[in-house]
Amino acid sequence: MRFLGVDIGSRHIKLALVVDGALVGYTGGENSFDPLARCRELMADLPADRVMATGYGRQLLELADDVLTVTEIKAFARGAAHHFPGCRTVLDIGGQDTKVISLDETGRVRKFEMNDRCAAGTGKFIEVMAASLGWSLDEFAARAAAAADEVKLSSMCAVFAESEVVSLVARGVPREAIAAAVLRSVADRVTALAARLPLTEEIVFAGGCARNSTLAAMIEKNLGRRLLIREHAEFTGAVGAAFLARDEALRAGAELTSQTGEGVTV
Amino acid sequence: MSSNDYTPLWQELGLDLDNHAGLLGVLSDAYRGIYLAQANRPRGMAYFDFVISEVHGLRIKEIYEAKRAGRKVVGGFCVYVPEEVVLAADGICIGLCAGAEVGTAEAERFIPRNSCALIKAFMGFKLAGLCPYVELTDLIVGETTCDGKKKAYEIFDELTGKVHVMELPHMKGPAGKRLWLGEVARFRETMEKLTGAPLTLEGLRHGVAVVNAKRRALQRLSRLREADPAPLSGLDALLVNQVSFYDDPVRFTAKTNELCDELEERVAAGVGVTAKGAPRLLVSGSPMAIPNWKVHAIVEGSGGVVVGEESCIGERNFRDLADEDFVTVEEGLMKIAERSLTIDCACFTPNDERPGNIAALCERLRADGIIHYALQFCTPYLVEAYKVETSLAGVPFLRIETDYSMEDFGQLKTRLEAFIEMLR
Ligand code: SF4
Ligand code: SF4
């Protein structure tokens, strides 16, 4: 049986396919002004028997196509537990939301913390700052890594920080240093959030921002702990949703007949 | 909303008819979408639906007529306001807290933008000419519970000219008790001046009896929510609690008891509004004035059921009764003051009773988790969340900080849904 997890984020839609018990592939793309149509378009490439939606836009599929849904919290927990069995803490910096999730020994969510409604400490914050420095996200991360020094941003609010960035540039502060300061501010915010939960040795860093190794290094240093990061970390929610679709089917007593994962591109 | 035309009455009360029509439109849409859409509601809720549909109609007319017949109308914002004393003076007591985001821009001309939503709303409702209740009051009673309210009443008095502030102590030692007793006595004088008649022992006995009967009916409702499956949705129970602040108390008590009779049958037959075993949540913290139904609506739309409100629109309003055994007016006032000091509002320090009360409530209601709800900028409850959480170690706990806007609806839904998933 084929299980599809669809994570409808504010910026990207991510899909993961599980065939029988094995993760066989991912796909995804940018979200558009018509998220539902975009979802269906992406889903057409990965036909599945069962679908589970998660993420910011999960209700879209639930309402339109009667698809089961779970929150990002549960999906990230499940996805992280699949990649790193036994992990007890998951950190996810997404487009809109940043969350820290505590799991119990069986992989169930025990407690979680999420940023408040503002953009401070989220992927959105980094995105806005990168744009005001005139860099793409990847370039931004690379340049921040090359910073010799760091300045300090005094504002956490995306709007104020943006004008602060502009004025720092005008004062001749190297853009690399400003980029590093932006990441520092996100790292500090995330650390404060994480401090509200009991942290275990191994912390999984999932979500799109996990690709940013400078940010990851800052968080590791703040927490004094190693972060476990997997390639394609941004698919963790989709992977979790796919496995949750499978868990659900098993619970309902479905027969998991064998099939191949043909036609899947990673 | 209602079929009768109350426009002349609203006009006479000086409401802004356009703004007001807008408010009623929003309210009835929200009510239809949130309340009437619920499945399996008890028949007894029809009365409360009716009350809401006539919230600015019949009830206003009733109060208006009572006022013409000489009765005085007193509005309040807090459960410390001694309703018994108002009733003893044959007055009408109504809760004024506003629970919608309207008139915010007007309010922000007078108070900071980062005031709690409740304060902004009571200012906003007045300034935008939206609240017939405020216009009908002869006296508005404020209290020095939190700094925001305390200072806002100064401005509110400037705007209305009828605010009487009671000084609520922030500690419950002997000095605090003396202070509060004095304030209740001073309130009696204010009421006597207002009505021109001295408070009688008989009147006070009547006042205490009426309010206690109302509290008993609400206690009964709260106990019925212990059943699994819950016989009544949290949304409906919240509504009953909200209505208790402005409906006629005797009629309200009778209707609530009728509802309870029906719920008793439901419990006996094992009928509920959700499936047995649905996650049961206790909502604890800041009060939720009409029409603030956001959290309950999200929880119950996500498969959970709210089984209790540890809130002023909830347990804090009716948990304790006033002692009815007194032989003089002074003694009666003391009994009333003593009862109100059992209320565990976060404005007190220390407030050690509250965590214990929450734990007991949680156990009685068989709650699976606690949602600690605080209005944004409501420092007392926001800060106290820490003590509540740590003293309840082991009970799943979720902190929420929000206001009346729908801006954070998506994020709130994710959090509440994830919390419910966690409890399943
Ligand atoms: S929270 Fe405190 S101040 Fe507010 S209504 Fe309740 S008792 Fe009064
Ligand atoms: S909700 Fe909090 S801040 Fe607002 S009036 Fe009540 S106690 Fe004060």
Side-chain angles (χ1 to χ4, degrees):
Chain A
M1 253 178 126
R2 295 160 65 95
F3 302 98
L4 184 65
V6 187
D7 179 358
I8 311 170
S10 54
R11 298 281 286 110
H12 293 94
I13 298 174
K14 291 133 295 196
L15 296 89
L17 186 70
V18 165
V19 176
D20 297 338
L23 176 64
V24 295
Y26 312 105
T27 183
E30 288 211 357
N31 210 333
S32 75
F33 58 88
D34 186 354
L36 184 60
R38 188 78 183 105
C39 265
R40 288 176 172 158
E41 191 184 318
L42 291 165
M43 285 164 70
D45 296 337
L46 294 178
D49 303 296
R50 298 284 165 88
V51 181
M52 179 79 80
T54 186
Y56 203 68
R58 64 188 178 279
Q59 262 93 31
L60 281 176
L61 279 182
E62 183 180 19
L63 294 175
D65 298 346
D66 205 15
V67 159
L68 291 176
T69 61
V70 276
T71 61
E72 302 87 290
I73 316 276
K74 188 167 178 182
F76 267 85
R78 182 67 177 88
H82 169 74
H83 291 316
F84 301 99
C87 81
R88 301 288 290 272
T89 309
V90 185
L91 195 72
D92 162 41
I93 304 182
Q96 301 263 0
D97 297 321
T98 292
K99 35 204 162 306
V100 187
I101 310 162
S102 221
L103 313 181
D104 67 12
E105 53 291 338
T106 68
R108 282 176 55 98
V109 178
R110 209 167 53 117
K111 196 162 172 49
F112 62 90
E113 290 285 344
M114 226 165 132
N115 67 301
D116 285 316
R117 57 178 101 180
C118 80
T122 67
K124 184 80 196 163
F125 184 80
I126 300 178
E127 204 176 288
V128 170
M129 299 311 140
S132 60
L133 287 171
W135 285 328
S136 72
L137 270 176
D138 286 339
E139 201 179 358
F140 175 88
R143 298 295 190 110
D149 241 337
E150 231 179 82
V151 281
K152 193 158 170 35
L153 280 188
S154 51
S155 186
M156 285 268 192
C157 162
V159 177
F160 291 127
E162 193 178 8
S163 47
E164 203 178 338
V165 164
V166 172
S167 77
L168 287 171
V169 172
R171 270 182 19 215
V173 176
R175 286 194 289 168
E176 286 76 7
I178 304 174
V182 167
L183 295 184
R184 162 75 49 205
S185 123
V186 173
D188 288 350
R189 190 72 173 216
V190 171
T191 308
L193 202 63
R196 302 181 73 123
L197 294 175
L199 293 183
T200 48
E201 265 328 298
E202 313 248 282
I203 299 175
V204 175
F205 187 11
C209 288
R211 289 212 314 254
N212 188 325
S213 55
T214 313
L215 177 61
M218 285 176 176
I219 299 174
E220 282 190 330
K221 194 151 172 260
N222 275 357
L223 294 175
R225 290 192 165 82
R226 212 161 66 81
L227 293 179
L228 303 175
I229 302 171
R230 196 175 183 278
E231 216 191 328
H232 300 303
E234 66 273 28
F235 285 95
T236 308
V239 170
F243 278 106
L244 286 166
R246 181 173 181 269
D247 297 349
E248 191 68 43
L250 282 177
R251 218 187 343 261
E255 289 260 328
L256 301 188
T257 53
S258 222
Q259 268 186 32
T260 58
E262 56 185 296
V264 177
T265 40
V266 176
Chain B
M1 298 218 89
S2 86
S3 49
N4 295 316
D5 186 11
Y6 296 103
T7 317
L9 180 56
W10 294 331
Q11 207 151 20
E12 194 187 327
L13 292 175
L15 299 192
D16 179 320
L17 292 180
D18 287 343
N19 280 356
H20 184 252
L23 172 70
L24 288 194
V26 173
L27 188 63
S28 74
D29 286 351
Y31 198 74
R32 208 171 311 126
I34 295 174
Y35 273 92
L36 303 182
Q38 295 179 93
N40 216 5
R41 295 178 83 207
R43 292 182 312 277
M45 283 310 294
Y47 170 72
F48 298 92
D49 290 339
F50 173 71
V51 170
I52 287 293
S53 73
E54 288 289 344
V55 65
H56 281 191
L58 260 191
R59 180 64 179 141
I60 288 300
K61 194 157 161 258
E62 203 172 77
I63 296 174
Y64 179 80
E65 275 157 14
K67 210 174 136 88
R68 291 234 316 228
R71 292 177 72 188
K72 298 296 176 193
V73 183
V74 178
F77 291 99
C78 172
V79 291
Y80 281 98
V81 175
E83 184 180 355
E84 298 94 334
V85 177
V86 178
L87 297 185
D90 194 31
I92 295 173
C93 191
I94 43 184
L96 289 177
C97 280
E101 199 186 29
V102 286
T104 310
E106 285 94 335
E108 285 175 10
R109 278 170 45 219
F110 296 90
I111 52 170
R113 205 176 65 84
N114 52 353
S115 306
C116 94
L118 209 124
I119 295 174
K120 262 198 227 173
F122 82 64
M123 296 287 287
F125 269 64
K126 164 68 194 165
L127 292 163
L130 287 168
C131 184
Y133 292 93
V134 169
E135 303 309 328
L136 278 171
T137 49
D138 297 291
L139 184 77
I140 295 175
V141 188
E143 17 51 54
T144 57
T145 38
C146 70
D147 288 349
K149 269 199 207 164
K150 185 167 84 185
K151 299 308 286 181
Y153 291 139
E154 293 172 18
I155 304 173
F156 208 54
D157 188 38
E158 230 176 87
L159 297 168
T160 61
K162 46 192 178 188
V163 176
H164 167 96
V165 174
M166 297 179 75
E167 184 176 358
L168 190 76
H170 288 176
M171 291 178 90
K172 291 180 179 172
K177 280 193 180 132
R178 266 197 307 278
L179 171 64
W180 184 240
L181 233 79
E183 286 297 286
V184 173
R186 196 167 64 85
F187 180 61
R188 165 210 188 165
E189 283 165 24
T190 305
M191 281 310 297
E192 287 177 338
K193 216 177 292 162
L194 192 67
T195 58
L199 214 67
T200 63
L201 178 62
E202 201 189 332
L204 202 57
R205 284 203 164 125
H206 168 74
V208 172
V210 168
V211 183
N212 273 351
K214 175 162 85 169
R215 290 185 188 123
R216 273 194 207 97
L218 290 166
Q219 287 174 351
R220 188 175 164 209
L221 184 73
S222 168
R223 279 195 306 270
L224 283 160
R225 294 167 80 188
E226 292 165 14
D228 182 20
L232 180 75
S233 70
L235 271 164
D236 281 337
L238 174 65
L239 188 74
V240 175
N241 277 297
Q242 289 172 329
V243 166
S244 77
F245 283 86
Y246 71 90
D247 196 13
D248 175 80
V250 175
R251 179 175 59 204
F252 171 86
T253 302
K255 291 296 178 182
T256 302
N257 277 320
E258 265 172 42
L259 174 67
C260 290
D261 292 341
E262 183 185 350
L263 297 182
E264 259 162 25
E265 288 166 25
R266 280 193 165 204
V267 171
V271 174
V273 286
T274 52
K276 203 171 153 72
R280 302 164 64 83
L281 285 313
L282 174 67
V283 175
S284 167
S286 303
M288 296 167 157
I290 286 185
N292 178 8
W293 302 312
K294 186 160 84 169
V295 168
H296 283 59
I298 298 178
V299 167
E300 302 198 329
S302 306
V305 58
V306 178
V307 292
E309 291 78 30
E310 189 276 330
S311 154
C312 292
I313 302 220
E315 297 290 327
R316 233 175 276 138
N317 180 35
F318 57 74
R319 191 190 55 221
D320 298 305
L321 301 179
D323 186 351
E324 297 187 24
D325 183 18
F326 51 85
V327 292
T328 62
V329 170
E330 285 66 29
E331 198 192 351
L333 293 175
M334 198 180 74
K335 297 283 165 81
I336 291 167
E338 277 171 353
R339 185 213 80 99
S340 51
L341 282 179
T342 64
I343 298 170
D344 48 358
C345 172
C347 68
F348 281 95
T349 184
N351 191 30
D352 296 335
E353 312 96 283
R354 184 162 166 243
N357 287 336
I358 296 176
L361 186 60
C362 214
E363 206 181 303
R364 171 165 75 73
L365 296 168
R366 288 181 279 167
D368 300 307
I370 294 180
I371 297 169
H372 194 280
Y373 167 88
L375 283 172
Q376 202 177 15
F377 309 118
C378 172
T379 314
Y381 285 97
L382 282 167
V383 175
E384 201 161 277
Y386 164 80
K387 282 224 163 186
V388 175
E389 178 168 10
T390 45
S391 70
L392 285 169
V395 183
F397 192 91
L398 180 74
R399 292 186 201 207
I400 298 264
E401 180 181 346
T402 184
D403 57 16
Y404 300 162
S405 78
M406 287 297 146
E407 228 169 74
D408 61 345
F409 193 90
Q411 224 211 22
L412 215 52
K413 181 155 171 58
T414 298
R415 274 190 211 207
L416 291 167
E417 232 180 277
F419 190 56
I420 292 167
E421 281 171 356
M422 202 178 106
L423 302 176
R424 275 187 194 282

